[in-house]
Amino acid sequence: LRSMEAVQEQSLRLLRLFGNTTSQKVVPSIGAEQEYFLIDRNKYLQRKDLIYTGRTLFGAMPPKGQELDDHYFGTLRQRVGGYMRQVNEELWKMGVPAKTQHNEVAPAQHELAPIYAEANVAADHNQIMMQTLKRVASQQGLVCLLHEKPFAGVNGSGKHNNWSLTTDDGINLLDPGKRPHENKQFLLILACLLKAVDIHADLLRESAANVGNDHRLGANEAPPAIISMFLGDDLEAILEAIESGKPYNGSGIEKMEIGVHVLPSFPKDTTDRNRTSPFAFTGNKFEFRSLGSSQSISGPNIILNTIVAEELKQFADELEGAEDFTEKLNELIKKTIKEHKRIIFNGDGYSDEWKAEAKKRGLLNLKTTVDALPTFLAPKNVELFTKHKIFTEKEMESRYEILLETYSKVINIEGLTMVDMAKKQILPAVNSYIGNLASTAKKKLSVTEGLSCRMEKDLLEKLSVLEDSAYEKANKLASLLEEGGKISNGLAQATFYKDEILPAMEALRSDCDALEVDTAESSWPFPQYGDLLFHI
């Protein structure tokens, strides 16, 4: 609410300069898309990792994943369709205007989105939505997983945060209109966003930082950790023309030709979103795509509102004292574009070329939560939040400490769960299967002399080596977890968990997943990926 008031105060100052005397209120308008997975509850209850951590810590990929993209926007399974209908009805009863629903890319993954609302109301709606998704699932013998990466090898879940500024009399400040190159008010607001995202990219990255999102950001399913802005070819060309002082000679609105007479042609969207961009302009709003599916949208929108309020304030301060408003306005827009255009990138955010280019431009690449969190307490950020009376310095310090502690505790729980599952479930199951293989080989040899037991021998050797390796890695992980628990400094502990515990967990998983591939399905101690993702 404080950040919303800060945006409103500074936005109204600018609107008055443009001669708007009717708008009395400006609010950040939010539409938060919610991705989630649905799995059968009986299968869920057989997996300790899902129960304790919300994600699978072990699991080999089934023969089919998401390669065909056939699940994305495909026909809803009957059970899932029934679930979605009940979710909608429950949300509508509580005044949450749920609207969009469909299958997402990964098998068993889905999405639900509401109609836009003011930022604080949208945050409440999203919390109610997450709670309702889980509650209705339990009533229907299902479990809703909101973890950012419940399954390795398929897309994780995010929460795309669509943000715009709207007035109480129906004006969207991010609507470029039919002639955006002549819409000075829109261009000024756009320049403000450009500067805010460039200067405060560290805060935006920090706002999307948590353990689950570290598994997701930068993969071919979510934006990279490098914050950049996508504007589309048309808007970028307009900004380039302004910077160079040359007239804008846009090609105008192109038509999408279908190629058949029974269907009409229609205007082609010049800002069609770039899914690899963390902060993309999509017609009349910006889509902040980095958020994780389990997050509250409050934190990221507090940051977004505050950084925009700061730049709006700076622009208003300059323009209010100008002798020639139009001249100063044009100068300010041009100067801002020139100084902050490095943040604009319309290309492939996943490419190695972009990483090299971003480094050349001086953009931050905060790859993990541990890299991102300390930026919250940078002097410029403390000054920002205290100046606008959003947080006190103590409040910022407390949030930082809580986030660090949560990071370490989550990984500690995951590590302990892995050790428990490996020693009490996986290794005993594999050992039993090895015993069955040895017994079968012995019987085959006793029935007919010289009969080949090649399969049994190969599997016995392979599984025995992997079993010993997994046992050693489980013990090493247990030892590291004990060591990490003794570290008292929050950042040092989180760094240890990132650098030592996570690689040890990956090493143990690698062996156990390899054991799963060559162990009979009937001998494996809990449901596998194929059971969880495809059998609902």
Side-chain angles (χ1 to χ4, degrees):
L1 290 172
R2 292 173 188 162
S3 70
M4 290 171 68
E5 287 190 6
V7 166
Q8 174 173 278
E9 178 185 350
Q10 305 306 328
S11 297
L12 287 174
R13 289 176 66 193
L14 285 180
L15 289 181
R16 297 294 182 258
L17 290 171
F18 281 93
N20 181 332
T21 59
T22 56
S23 298
Q24 300 301 316
K25 186 177 179 183
V26 178
V27 295
S29 178
I30 308 295
E33 306 166 30
Q34 179 69 55
E35 295 177 346
Y36 61 94
F37 279 80
L38 276 183
I39 61 172
D40 184 83
R41 183 169 183 78
N42 290 329
K43 296 183 177 74
Y44 165 88
L45 292 173
Q46 296 176 60
R47 293 205 52 137
K48 292 181 181 180
D49 48 3
L50 286 174
I51 293 171
Y52 295 147
T53 73
R55 76 178 181 105
T56 53
L57 301 172
F58 300 103
M61 279 298 293
K64 181 179 186 292
Q66 64 185 51
E67 301 89 347
L68 298 176
D69 292 323
D70 52 336
H71 188 259
Y72 194 31
F73 278 92
T75 303
L76 296 175
R77 295 172 184 172
Q78 189 171 356
R79 190 178 184 188
V80 173
Y83 166 79
M84 287 181 171
R85 279 194 299 274
Q86 186 179 344
V87 166
N88 282 340
E89 290 169 3
E90 294 299 314
L91 289 173
W92 295 338
K93 289 176 185 176
M94 292 181 282
V96 180
K99 183 167 178 67
T100 305
Q101 57 186 32
H102 60 85
N103 288 344
E104 258 298 332
V105 178
Q109 188 185 33
H110 312 281
E111 182 178 293
L112 172 63
I115 294 173
Y116 288 69
E118 295 185 16
N120 61 308
V121 177
D124 290 345
H125 283 175
N126 187 250
Q127 291 299 119
I128 294 170
M129 184 182 290
M130 289 193 288
Q131 186 181 42
T132 303
L133 286 168
K134 284 183 167 290
R135 176 168 53 82
V136 173
S138 66
Q139 294 170 359
Q140 296 199 10
L142 298 165
V143 171
C144 173
L145 301 176
L146 294 176
H147 194 283
E148 285 75 14
K149 193 73 172 179
F151 300 98
V154 298
N155 277 19
S157 296
K159 187 178 300 191
H160 304 156
N161 188 84
N162 295 280
W163 184 94
S164 62
L165 287 175
T166 56
T167 68
D168 56 339
D169 49 355
I171 302 171
N172 184 338
L173 301 187
L174 287 175
D175 185 354
K178 293 182 179 181
R179 298 179 65 82
H181 58 290
E182 297 176 357
N183 188 340
K184 295 296 184 180
Q185 180 177 293
F186 165 74
L187 291 172
L188 182 68
I189 300 295
L190 183 63
C192 169
L193 266 291
L194 189 70
K195 184 180 178 184
V197 173
D198 184 25
I199 292 178
H200 302 290
D202 56 343
L203 280 174
L204 289 174
R205 171 65 184 94
E206 184 275 337
S207 75
N210 65 31
V211 181
N213 230 11
D214 281 357
H215 297 290
R216 174 181 162 267
L217 290 179
N220 286 5
E221 58 188 282
I226 303 167
I227 298 294
S228 64
M229 286 179 72
F230 168 83
L231 296 180
D233 294 338
D234 199 31
L235 277 183
E236 186 174 18
I238 291 171
L239 297 191
E240 287 175 355
I242 293 172
E243 183 191 3
S244 64
K246 298 177 181 177
Y248 170 68
N249 297 314
S251 56
I253 298 176
E254 296 181 36
K255 292 287 186 179
M256 182 73 77
E257 299 294 341
I258 306 300
V260 292
H261 295 297
V262 295
L263 296 175
S265 61
F266 54 88
K268 184 179 180 181
D269 185 0
T270 59
T271 63
D272 190 22
R273 64 182 176 174
N274 181 339
R275 291 171 179 269
T276 73
S277 175
F279 204 81
F281 185 74
T282 55
N284 60 4
K285 59 185 173 60
F286 274 95
E287 183 180 34
F288 185 24
R289 295 176 57 86
S290 301
L291 275 61
S293 53
S294 69
Q295 285 186 263
S296 163
I297 66 170
S298 294
N301 282 299
I302 289 170
I303 285 174
L304 188 49
N305 294 342
T306 306
I307 65 175
V308 172
E310 169 64 14
E311 303 315 322
L312 288 171
K313 181 182 184 304
Q314 291 190 18
F315 281 21
D317 288 345
E318 288 196 52
L319 291 170
E320 283 176 345
E323 294 182 9
D324 186 325
F325 174 75
T326 302
E327 182 181 344
K328 185 64 178 179
L329 172 65
N330 292 332
E331 177 190 321
L332 185 56
I333 294 173
K334 183 176 180 178
K335 176 187 175 189
T336 304
I337 294 169
K338 185 175 182 179
E339 292 179 352
H340 301 285
K341 64 181 180 180
R342 66 172 186 165
I343 202 71
I344 301 172
F345 180 66
N346 289 349
D348 181 3
Y350 297 150
S351 67
D352 292 332
E353 290 79 9
W354 167 234
K355 293 175 185 175
E357 172 64 20
K359 186 176 181 180
K360 190 191 303 182
R361 295 187 188 186
L363 301 182
L364 293 172
N365 186 5
L366 304 171
K367 296 180 180 180
T368 71
T369 295
V370 177
D371 299 322
L373 288 183
T375 65
F376 189 58
L377 294 182
K380 75 175 181 68
N381 295 333
V382 173
E383 181 186 358
L384 170 72
F385 287 109
T386 54
K387 178 167 74 172
H388 289 278
K389 296 181 170 57
I390 310 299
F391 295 131
T392 65
E393 187 170 356
K394 283 294 183 184
E395 286 172 331
M396 293 181 70
E397 289 171 357
S398 70
R399 280 159 174 74
Y400 169 70
E401 290 176 8
I402 289 167
L403 290 169
L404 274 180
E405 184 180 2
T406 301
Y407 178 89
S408 297
K409 284 185 174 179
V410 167
I411 295 178
N412 189 64
I413 292 168
E414 291 182 348
L416 291 172
T417 302
M418 288 192 82
V419 173
D420 183 87
M421 291 177 70
K423 288 190 172 184
K424 294 181 179 179
Q425 292 182 295
I426 295 174
L427 294 179
V430 172
N431 203 39
S432 177
Y433 181 59
I434 288 173
N436 291 337
L437 282 174
S439 177
T440 300
K442 186 176 181 181
K443 287 178 182 177
K444 285 173 72 174
L445 288 172
S446 66
V447 172
T448 308
E449 277 194 40
L451 188 67
S452 171
C453 296
R454 182 177 176 181
M455 182 192 80
E456 288 83 1
K457 288 180 180 178
D458 285 351
L459 280 174
L460 282 169
E461 182 178 351
K462 185 176 182 180
L463 291 173
S464 295
V465 171
L466 281 171
E467 184 186 32
D468 288 344
S469 176
Y471 178 70
E472 290 175 6
K473 289 174 181 175
N475 285 334
K476 180 182 178 181
L477 176 57
S479 177
L480 287 170
L481 289 166
E482 187 176 346
E483 184 180 345
K486 297 176 182 177
I487 301 173
S488 57
N489 178 274
L491 182 58
Q493 186 181 54
T495 303
F496 180 85
Y497 275 88
K498 173 178 72 78
D499 294 338
E500 302 295 335
I501 304 295
L502 286 177
M505 290 169 61
E506 280 298 312
L508 175 58
R509 175 171 187 156
S510 179
D511 281 354
C512 290
D513 288 357
L515 285 169
E516 180 183 341
V517 170
D518 285 311
T519 299
E521 188 173 343
S522 58
S523 297
W524 200 248
F526 40 75
Q528 298 170 296
Y529 268 25
D531 302 318
L532 295 167
L533 292 172
F534 293 98
H535 298 165
I536 296 181

